[in-house]
Amino acid sequence: MKNIIGKPVDGANFFGRDRELRELRRICEDEHILLLAPRRVGKTSLLHALALDVSRDASAVGAYVSVAAAKGEPQFVEAVLRSIYETTAGKKLKPNPIATWLRRHGRRVRGIKVAGIGVDVDGYAAEWQDEANRAFAGILQAKQPWLILIDELPIFVLTIAAHDTTGERVRSFLQWFRNLRQLPEASAKLRFVLAGSVGLDSVTRKHRLTDTVNDLRDWRLGPYDAETADRFLAELARSYRMDVGPELRRRICGHAEWLIPYHLQVIFSALRDRARDATPSEAHLDAAIEDLLARRTYFSSWEERLRGALGAPEDAFARAILGACAHDPRGVAASSLQQCLAGQVPDPVERGKTARWLLDVLVNDGYLVEQARRWRFRSGLLRRYWERHVP
Amino acid sequence: MTTGKRLATAIYNPHLLERSDLVASFVARHALFNELLDDLRRGGKQHHLLVGARGSGKTTLLLRIAYGIEDDAKLARACVPLRFPEEQYNVSRPSDFWMNCIDALTDALEQHGDHQGATKLDAEVKALEDLEDHQRATQALALLTDWAKRSKKMLVLLVDNMDIVLERLREAHWPLREALSADNRLVVIGASTTFLQESLVYESPFYDFFHVHELGPLPEDEARKLVLGLARLANTPEVETIIAADPGRFKALYVLTGGMPRTLALLHGILAAGKNGRVEEDLDGLLDQLTPYYKARFDDLPTQSQLIMDAVALHWHPITAADCASHTRLGVNVVSAQLDRLCRQGLLSKVALPGASKLGFQVAERFFNIWYLMRASRRLRRRLGWLVEFLRVFYGEEDLQKRAEELLATPAGRSAERDAAKLLAFASAVKEPGLRRRLELSAVRALVDECCGPEELREMLELEGEDSHLAPVLDRVKAMRDLRARISRSRVVWPKGVTAARFADALACDPWLPTSMKLEFAEHISQHDRRPCQALNAQAASYLRPVREDTNFSPRILAGIGSGELPGLRNLATPEDVDGFAAMADDLGTELWKVILSSELLTTYQTPDSVIRRALEVSESIAPCLLQIAQAAVEAGQWPIARRRVLSVFEDATHRALTPVMLGFLQNFAQACVRSGLANQAADLLKEVGREERLLPLYEALRAAAAGPGASLAHLAPEVRTPAEDLLKFLLEPAPPPTSHALKGKRGRAGRGDRRTKRAGKDS
């Protein structure tokens, strides 16, 4: 197994998510899924693994696509269709390009008035939806079922929402997508797993569009449990021929706090750098942690962003909450966090609203995660930095 | 071109180095180099980002990786390194980036003799040129990845200035991320002067995307290896000799280079050029070499950035945004934005401030800061403030003193400014006040000799701040120069054996005359025409006796007064003046005594208290001198002055031993008090200074003297009564006939002083 930081992993490098994979497969049989998790938890790697898994046993054709780069609905559809057409089964379904061209350009102009004064053009919305519906109709005619894994959907939704103050475009898109998912012929043959780290729910709430996503089963990807994290580290150590004993592995987990592969990998990498050819020790680990914490530019950007993003007095409220969370690696209960704001927001109703809103922001912006009804720092290193340096 | 010259030429542009030279000179950062190659051997799949300040060796490392891949048979089969120009100026769209990658691949194929492959690729690229931009990007990427897939090779993109590339492609980050996330045999090893903003922002596509490796300063042993490696490569054994013979010198220079490979490489060049072992001169050479590069970098900045850089550089130590705003008088928001931008450009770095959560900002490349201070700051001390700390570390206390003495003895160099700056730096570094004073005075002399005008001097010296004590020195030095100039210009017919220079020297060095009077005299002489002047002859004659033979004071003191470095004895005004006399005295105790006593007598006890205190700190022998002065003051009817002088001897000085000499003067003082009807006051004073117990017999004798005739000491214990009775007898002795206040045994000289005092009729 290789220690890969940042890039999605597959094959031998994909580790420790067997339970999650089985669970997703089981749910996928009956429901579409909205897979949400903070960044760097391993969603993309899990999606890739799921696609590979279903394809391997031929229970479905898995097609992965990331739609973050899509600027509009046509590009979204194009990206999804491309991912389907690139599979072995999908190649046969790709429409004739000439027919596609004729359809696009033939439909574009219905008529030209005499002397070229007017041109009657098809509506934009109808066009891309029609294209998409036609393509999926073709796909659904194939025998095999499809599992389409769409990554970074919330990013795409936010992209179109940015140009859509009324919410109509977002509604139109999400409604179309819901309709696609709800097609009778799709129920057994077309399944979607939609993944993202930024809150889709906040967009849908803002524009009152929750009805467009209420058919999705909400599923969260969390950290490793302690045993899996330990096995992960043991496997990494084995592949790098490093003698990292159980106690040292336990300490690594202690430093990472929230046991996502990314945090474990970063610390493991820093430990490797420190130990070099020697047997890693606790002293090496402590020094490695200090090396990571010494990246003040990296950590201070989190602090500075609060000021920029929230302004006064909300950034002070946010700091109060983060300050409370910084003192306990296990995090703090919501009620206690509200109490942090008691001095600044005396009215309990207002305080509750403010706390809930701030927690939303802090989760969406990657500071905190919720685990077992407690709010904790997503990164153990960031928590330590905050505890040490932020008053 | 010799290897040494090639190395020197390529310092700012490693691309110019021959492969063999780069490989041979690559002696630092081996661990990271091996780690990256090892990662490629394990299959890549990891993108890396090398973050380091300018001159930290990023470009060299990227080049070394390319050669490392090509030189390793296994890696060469599995990977193709793609090298790009250091600045990819033509990149503004994703298609440009991918087309550059294809160009780099074509170059690589050509280099390895695969002309057919290169030609084929060229033809395929041509077909993309007429496509619409988005299509061109997609197709170019597909061309690249298809080639990699067909050849079963990884393409290792060695991208310098990654931050600039990403900034130019900011509208296309998500597609770029997706391209790099796919399993398509592309590996990026990028280099950047700062952490990528994109990797810090949670919502950003590249958040925590790269495995970051920081290229920090080289530790000392690696730095030494680097310089020694360069010495071997460039065949400069003298550098090896210097480092072996004087490890401390290397250590000090290493500290200043900040462990930056580029600056260390420059340092090698300077050491190789051969100097005389003076580290300050090594630094001068290094800074000269860096000037074109640093000047260009600074000139390239927009005006507002230059203002900010100026404030940060002049501050030397890390500065907060708020303080920077205050210095530049710009708004805090504007300053914060500029500081962030300069950090992103790698010119500034954020530094933890001790005991604070805020970060400070400092010039990232410390040598750039030093260069800036040396070139841009007119304030001499500020210019070399960094040198002060360096000198303390490098020389250690004892050697620092020795080096400072050597500097004082060194003749003036080409630039008085540089000489003065060095002298002031040493002055700030040494602890011994006398030596400090001499260094400062030499600095002043150098500047005045260079004819620096008042405006220039105000720029170079902080006459309202740290150098305020030098302001009167500057004035005096200029005045004495002026005096000598006036006399030398005069058209007086000098008596036989007298020259203008001798006369000027005698006048200037006279310790008794106030400065104003000397100048008046010089003015008077300069206005005389050629007619002989009898009165002048008489005066001139009186100055013929070389003042420097005056045995009251050392020749150095007299010379110091003559040059203006020291004030005349009527003009003692500051504690620094005391330091000046102390520095030049041959016999500190005696001469300082004479100086203080003369000052008090000439000014009728108006010597500032701060001068008195300083003299006491410098020499304990002043204590009895002050008691002598107190006695004279009592005799002159100046009880308040006398009281002050006695207080200054004993206050805050419980440790001060009562030596026999002091006891003698104290008794004389007491006697003078009794004779002036101040016996009770004297006794009270003894009590006030807490010495009545220690000096009980004297105390009791004073009380008895105050009580008048018939006062009895019978109540005292015998061991106290007997000495008290002796002292009482002494105290009541009748006064001798009046005598002058001049120094005993120097009546002739003192007499002249008296006549001058009367003639002056005033203090200076």
Side-chain angles (χ1 to χ4, degrees):
Chain A
M1 184 167 69
K2 229 183 128 210
N3 192 35
I4 297 176
I5 296 174
K7 212 176 152 175
V9 294
D10 56 12
N13 300 315
F14 179 75
F15 182 96
R17 294 295 195 184
D18 298 334
R19 182 185 59 78
E20 288 86 349
L21 205 52
R22 280 196 303 272
E23 197 177 321
L24 278 176
R25 281 207 61 173
R26 185 180 52 72
I27 301 170
C28 276
E29 281 169 17
D30 300 313
E31 297 177 82
H32 305 289
I33 298 176
L34 178 62
L35 192 167
L36 294 175
R39 296 201 69 179
R40 307 259 63 104
V41 169
K43 294 184 301 306
T44 304
S45 304
L46 183 59
L47 291 179
H48 280 299
L50 185 53
L52 197 62
D53 208 40
V54 299
S55 299
R56 198 180 288 135
D57 66 15
S59 54
V61 178
Y64 168 90
V65 61
S66 169
V67 294
K71 295 279 189 245
E73 297 86 331
Q75 289 90 354
F76 172 89
V77 170
E78 195 184 319
V80 173
L81 290 177
R82 189 170 51 240
S83 73
I84 293 171
Y85 296 149
E86 279 174 358
T87 61
T88 312
K91 279 186 175 55
K92 296 175 243 180
L93 301 172
K94 195 171 177 182
N96 183 320
I98 295 173
T100 308
W101 188 93
L102 276 173
R103 203 170 42 244
R104 278 202 191 131
H105 294 280
R107 284 203 54 196
R108 180 154 291 161
V109 177
R110 279 194 177 282
I112 301 176
K113 289 187 181 153
V114 171
I117 292 171
V119 174
D120 190 4
V121 176
D122 277 346
Y124 171 79
E127 188 177 312
W128 71 263
Q129 286 183 17
D130 285 347
E131 286 272 354
N133 290 341
R134 193 172 296 110
F136 275 101
I139 288 164
L140 286 169
Q141 277 173 10
K143 270 192 265 190
Q144 64 280 356
W146 295 88
L147 178 63
I148 317 294
L149 304 128
I150 300 182
D151 205 355
E152 309 293 2
L153 178 69
I155 299 281
F156 168 70
V157 171
L158 285 170
T159 301
I160 57 176
H163 300 289
D164 173 33
T165 47
T166 63
E168 279 310 309
R169 242 180 100 183
V170 175
R171 170 168 280 286
S172 175
F173 167 76
L174 289 175
Q175 192 60 60
W176 164 81
F177 200 3
R178 189 179 194 282
N179 293 345
L180 176 65
R181 296 193 298 271
Q182 296 292 309
L183 284 173
E185 55 270 40
S187 65
K189 293 176 84 175
L190 189 60
R191 194 68 73 226
F192 287 95
V193 178
L194 311 174
S197 31
V198 177
L200 179 63
D201 50 345
S202 55
V203 175
T204 54
R205 261 204 313 264
K206 182 183 169 188
H207 295 288
R208 293 172 204 243
L209 299 168
T210 48
D211 57 317
T212 60
V213 294
N214 62 4
D215 63 314
L216 300 169
R217 165 78 171 262
D218 193 344
W219 193 88
R220 307 279 161 142
L221 180 62
Y224 284 156
D225 58 35
E227 196 218 322
T228 308
D230 182 73
R231 283 191 297 115
F232 176 74
L233 288 169
E235 186 57 31
L236 271 180
R238 195 190 60 77
S239 41
Y240 283 89
R241 294 200 182 97
M242 284 169 66
D243 182 7
V244 181
E247 179 54 27
L248 199 57
R249 294 198 301 267
R250 191 194 63 76
R251 288 200 67 203
I252 292 173
C253 291
H255 283 298
E257 292 180 10
W258 205 55
L259 301 174
I260 59 174
Y262 177 77
H263 291 158
L264 297 168
Q265 285 162 331
V266 164
I267 297 174
F268 181 82
S269 178
L271 176 63
R272 258 187 88 210
D273 286 344
R274 265 286 167 176
R276 300 270 171 98
D277 298 322
T279 301
S281 65
E282 291 190 7
H284 288 133
L285 178 59
D286 289 341
I289 295 299
E290 290 305 316
D291 288 341
L292 290 169
L293 288 172
R295 292 183 179 174
R296 289 293 295 268
T297 308
Y298 175 85
F299 290 109
S300 70
S301 68
W302 287 91
E303 195 193 343
E304 285 158 23
R305 252 188 315 135
L306 279 182
R307 246 187 305 260
L310 296 173
E314 285 79 10
D315 71 318
F317 300 161
R319 276 168 203 280
I321 289 176
L322 290 169
C325 294
H327 291 303
D328 190 341
R330 299 165 309 151
V332 180
S335 54
S336 304
L337 287 176
Q338 284 197 32
Q339 288 313 306
C340 293
L341 303 179
Q344 291 137 320
V345 188
D347 177 71
V349 172
E350 199 52 43
R351 190 161 66 234
K353 268 172 41 185
T354 305
R356 278 191 297 277
W357 172 73
L358 279 171
L359 285 172
D360 251 353
V361 168
L362 292 173
V363 164
N364 282 337
D365 285 359
Y367 291 82
L368 301 177
V369 290
E370 191 198 346
Q371 191 173 31
R373 293 173 176 265
R374 295 174 78 88
W375 301 89
R376 60 183 299 174
F377 269 83
R378 192 179 58 85
S379 157
L381 291 175
L382 181 59
R383 182 194 68 76
R384 202 159 312 193
Y385 166 86
W386 209 274
E387 190 184 30
R388 268 192 207 178
H389 297 293
V390 182
Chain B
M1 198 190 274
T2 62
T3 309
K5 281 215 163 72
R6 287 200 301 274
L7 287 174
T9 311
I11 276 178
Y12 298 112
N13 197 344
H15 289 278
L16 296 177
L17 269 181
E18 297 281 338
R19 179 200 191 101
S20 54
D21 287 341
L22 188 137
V23 170
S25 64
F26 187 83
V27 294
R29 314 249 187 243
H30 263 285
L32 178 55
F33 166 68
N34 288 330
E35 185 188 328
L36 292 168
L37 287 197
D38 195 47
D39 194 64
L40 292 173
R41 286 189 193 97
R42 285 170 175 269
K45 298 199 177 195
Q46 170 77 73
H47 302 299
H48 299 269
L49 183 67
L50 313 174
V51 176
R54 289 182 202 280
S56 59
K58 301 182 298 297
T59 305
T60 303
L61 180 55
L62 288 179
L63 285 169
R64 185 67 187 92
I65 290 168
Y67 297 142
I69 292 170
E70 289 164 359
D71 292 342
D72 182 304
K74 190 176 166 199
L75 273 178
R77 277 197 298 276
C79 308
V80 177
L82 301 188
R83 277 168 280 192
F84 303 87
E86 202 170 328
E87 285 91 13
Q88 294 189 57
Y89 289 125
N90 68 332
V91 168
S92 64
R93 297 162 297 194
S95 58
D96 298 327
F97 180 70
W98 298 123
M99 295 292 271
N100 282 356
C101 289
I102 297 173
D103 279 344
L105 177 58
T106 310
D107 287 343
L109 293 174
E110 289 277 8
Q111 248 182 346
H112 286 92
D114 183 1
H115 304 293
Q116 202 180 9
T119 308
K120 184 167 179 280
L121 208 47
D122 261 340
E124 285 172 311
V125 160
K126 264 203 162 42
L128 303 181
E129 276 165 15
D130 293 329
L131 292 177
E132 166 265 329
D133 185 65
H134 173 70
Q135 281 246 289
R136 188 163 64 248
T138 312
Q139 301 281 12
L141 174 60
L143 192 58
L144 207 59
T145 54
D146 285 347
W147 188 93
K149 195 172 167 186
R150 278 198 316 271
S151 320
K152 295 197 173 71
K153 292 195 182 208
M154 260 188 303
L155 296 175
V156 182
L157 280 56
L158 301 164
V159 182
D160 214 340
N161 294 304
M162 186 82 185
D163 47 341
I164 297 176
V165 171
L166 284 182
E167 171 60 24
R168 286 164 176 254
L169 297 177
R170 60 185 164 280
E171 301 301 322
H173 280 181
W174 275 113
L176 188 58
R177 182 190 187 269
E178 278 167 19
L180 296 178
S181 297
D183 188 13
N184 55 15
R185 296 172 179 270
L186 294 181
V187 172
V188 168
I189 302 180
S192 169
T193 49
T194 57
F195 276 97
L196 297 180
Q197 270 301 110
E198 295 76 10
S199 68
L200 302 178
V201 175
Y202 186 69
E203 310 86 70
S204 160
F206 289 108
Y207 172 70
D208 278 351
F209 186 75
F210 294 95
H211 186 187
V212 175
H213 309 270
E214 279 188 270
L215 272 61
L218 295 180
E220 193 185 330
D221 58 332
E222 277 203 46
R224 188 174 287 110
K225 263 192 237 167
L226 172 64
V227 176
L228 288 172
L230 289 171
R232 276 192 285 278
L233 189 65
N235 194 24
T236 49
E238 59 273 25
V239 174
E240 292 183 71
T241 308
I242 289 170
I243 292 175
D246 197 350
R249 180 171 163 199
F250 176 80
K251 186 187 175 95
L253 292 168
Y254 158 74
V255 166
L256 276 179
T257 62
M260 285 290 120
R262 176 179 291 149
T263 324
L264 285 163
L266 282 167
L267 178 63
H268 161 264
I270 299 303
L271 293 175
K275 294 288 174 186
N276 54 12
R278 297 250 167 85
V279 73
E280 310 86 78
E281 287 164 24
D282 292 341
L283 294 171
D284 278 345
L286 202 50
L287 288 168
D288 282 340
Q289 280 232 0
L290 287 166
T291 291
Y293 175 63
Y294 283 152
K295 188 171 183 321
R297 278 172 65 188
F298 195 83
D299 288 346
D300 282 345
L301 293 173
T303 308
Q304 209 168 59
S305 299
Q306 287 182 349
L307 285 174
I308 304 287
M309 281 293 288
D310 176 82
V312 176
L314 292 181
H315 196 262
W316 177 250
H317 298 289
I319 186 172
T320 62
D323 286 342
C324 189
S326 163
H327 283 299
T328 55
R329 296 201 171 95
L330 294 170
V332 168
N333 289 340
V334 166
V335 166
S336 292
Q338 284 287 352
L339 287 168
D340 279 337
R341 175 195 280 175
L342 289 165
C343 281
R344 283 198 298 277
Q345 290 173 332
L347 287 162
L348 297 182
S349 59
K350 293 185 190 181
V351 176
L353 292 172
S357 68
K358 284 193 179 169
L359 293 180
F361 296 85
Q362 69 180 24
V363 177
E365 203 173 328
R366 300 314 283 147
F367 228 84
F368 187 11
N369 202 149
I370 289 170
W371 171 84
Y372 191 84
L373 283 172
M374 297 298 285
R375 303 287 154 172
S377 172
R378 297 242 53 202
R379 289 270 193 250
L380 297 178
R381 281 204 208 262
R382 189 185 294 173
R383 201 189 286 185
L384 287 182
W386 58 272
L387 182 58
V388 172
E389 293 169 31
F390 164 76
L391 290 172
R392 283 197 185 119
V393 166
F394 181 69
Y395 284 113
E397 219 44 70
E398 208 181 298
D399 284 347
L400 183 64
Q401 209 141 314
K402 246 196 296 192
R403 179 69 195 109
E405 297 278 2
E406 278 172 26
L407 191 63
L408 279 170
T410 307
R414 282 175 305 152
S415 161
E417 256 190 59
R418 271 201 192 179
D419 289 343
K422 265 188 227 161
L423 287 162
L424 286 174
F426 270 91
S428 297
V430 299
K431 282 200 176 135
E432 203 262 286
L435 179 56
R436 187 186 314 138
R437 181 70 171 167
R438 282 163 53 210
L439 290 160
E440 285 176 341
L441 295 177
S442 282
V444 165
R445 203 176 330 126
L447 291 173
V448 174
D449 284 348
E450 185 71 4
C451 303
C452 294
E455 281 308 315
E456 277 179 277
L457 288 169
R458 246 192 295 284
E459 279 178 352
M460 289 187 227
L461 298 171
E462 286 182 68
L463 294 174
E464 274 108 49
E466 198 182 349
D467 295 324
S468 56
H469 61 289
L470 295 178
V473 177
L474 266 174
D475 290 339
R476 283 197 307 263
V477 169
K478 279 189 322 206
M480 291 300 108
R481 284 189 63 227
D482 194 38
L483 177 152
R484 289 173 197 273
R486 284 183 197 210
I487 290 174
S488 74
R489 279 197 305 266
S490 72
R491 294 184 294 170
V492 161
V493 175
W494 297 101
K496 195 172 168 199
V498 180
T499 62
R502 273 187 73 197
F503 186 84
D505 191 49
L507 181 61
C509 294
D510 190 303
W512 311 106
L513 275 183
T515 307
S516 56
M517 194 158 196
K518 294 181 190 179
L519 289 172
E520 213 180 291
F521 202 1
E523 177 63 22
H524 176 69
I525 286 170
S526 72
Q527 282 170 3
H528 269 275
D529 61 19
R530 286 184 169 275
R531 286 176 294 127
C533 171
Q534 296 302 323
L536 187 62
N537 270 344
Q539 283 171 349
S542 76
Y543 276 107
L544 283 180
R545 208 173 96 222
V547 169
R548 290 172 199 257
E549 284 174 18
D550 185 327
T551 55
N552 282 312
F553 300 102
S554 70
R556 278 201 304 168
I557 282 185
L558 294 173
I561 292 173
S563 67
E565 288 165 15
L566 296 176
L569 294 174
R570 287 178 191 267
N571 300 107
L572 247 65
T574 65
E576 286 77 15
D577 290 339
V578 175
D579 292 336
F581 276 100
M584 300 204 185
D586 286 342
D587 176 354
L588 177 65
T590 308
E591 289 194 79
L592 201 56
W593 182 316
K594 291 177 193 172
V595 164
I596 297 299
L597 187 56
S598 304
S599 171
E600 287 276 69
L601 296 178
L602 289 170
T603 63
T604 328
Y605 314 109
Q606 295 305 306
T607 309
D609 288 348
S610 60
V611 171
I612 300 294
R613 266 197 301 276
R614 184 73 190 122
L616 268 170
E617 283 167 18
V618 168
S619 173
E620 280 284 323
S621 70
I622 298 305
C625 168
L626 294 176
L627 295 174
Q628 186 186 9
I629 290 168
Q631 177 195 341
V634 165
E635 288 167 359
Q638 301 256 25
W639 169 248
I641 299 283
R643 182 173 171 279
R644 276 221 320 266
R645 292 297 176 252
V646 172
L647 281 174
S648 67
V649 171
F650 289 110
E651 69 183 352
D652 300 327
T654 48
H655 66 281
R656 188 158 278 131
L658 287 169
T659 62
V661 172
M662 274 185 70
L663 277 171
F665 280 104
L666 201 53
Q667 286 165 15
N668 289 345
F669 163 74
Q671 188 186 61
C673 288
V674 168
R675 287 172 182 167
S676 303
L678 297 167
N680 253 340
Q681 285 88 330
D684 287 341
L685 187 55
L686 277 185
K687 197 166 179 183
E688 192 180 340
V689 300
R691 298 290 175 140
E692 84 277 18
E693 285 292 330
R694 178 76 179 80
L695 297 167
L696 195 55
L698 181 60
Y699 176 78
E700 292 294 341
L702 280 166
R703 289 292 184 210
S712 168
L713 295 168
H715 61 285
L716 297 172
E719 63 275 17
V720 178
R721 187 174 60 242
T722 308
E725 282 167 350
D726 285 342
L727 280 167
L728 183 58
K729 229 159 89 176
F730 168 74
L731 292 177
L732 295 174
E733 275 175 16
T739 182
S740 98
H741 290 305
L743 294 167
K744 305 256 188 281
K746 309 289 177 192
R747 202 172 284 275
R749 192 90 177 130
R752 194 167 86 185
D754 271 350
R755 283 199 294 279
R756 289 208 182 87
T757 305
K758 282 179 188 154
R759 215 176 27 245
K762 61 179 184 291
D763 295 332
S764 65

